[in-house]
Amino acid sequence: MAPLLLRSALIMGLLIAALNTLFAGLSFGFDRLPLWFYAVQLLLLPAMLIPLRIFPQAAQTPEFLRRAGRYALGWAVPFAIYKFSADALDPAFSPPVSLVSYLVTGALFALIFAALRRPGVR
């Protein structure tokens, strides 16, 4: 794996974790964030390695739905960590509602990525 690509993925993981912590801290108070929340944010670092393998394949896939599916798989784990860790902080947390929101948002992102990143289009 190219060092620049690996470094970019890890920086992106740190950035997403920092933003998730910032948004959660502003919403719920930094003093009220549990230790598990910070620990879960560290999972974003290895989770960002998954898109490194899937996104190049997705960008070269000519069929729209297969391309969208690969983008969805690439973002599945990092977005799940981001989404569910923040949602679980809410006292009115509803796992079914959170799951539906996760699936709909993931599908929308996948369709948008697939439309924007067609093979041969730069």
Side-chain angles (χ1 to χ4, degrees):
M1 194 173 304
L4 179 62
L5 192 59
L6 180 61
R7 184 175 40 219
S8 297
L10 294 178
I11 289 171
M12 184 61 73
L14 284 173
L15 181 63
I16 293 170
L19 287 174
N20 199 24
T21 303
L22 177 68
F23 295 150
L26 292 174
S27 295
F28 303 106
F30 288 99
D31 58 333
R32 297 184 61 212
L33 294 179
L35 184 57
W36 66 261
F37 179 80
Y38 294 106
V40 167
Q41 299 314 302
L42 294 176
L43 290 174
L44 281 165
L45 296 176
M48 289 306 294
L49 299 178
I50 294 169
L52 289 181
R53 297 186 191 278
I54 296 176
F55 282 2
Q57 295 172 359
Q60 296 175 5
T61 303
E63 299 87 21
F64 180 78
L65 288 179
R66 284 185 56 215
R67 188 169 61 246
R70 287 187 177 165
Y71 280 120
L73 286 175
W75 279 118
V77 174
F79 185 57
I81 293 169
Y82 173 85
K83 175 89 173 110
F84 295 132
S85 65
D87 285 356
L89 294 172
D90 190 353
F93 174 61
S94 170
V97 171
S98 185
L99 180 61
V100 168
S101 172
Y102 164 75
L103 293 173
V104 168
T105 306
L108 286 174
F109 281 154
L111 293 172
I112 291 169
F113 267 77
L116 294 176
R117 299 287 303 182
R118 294 185 308 255
V121 176
R122 299 279 172 198

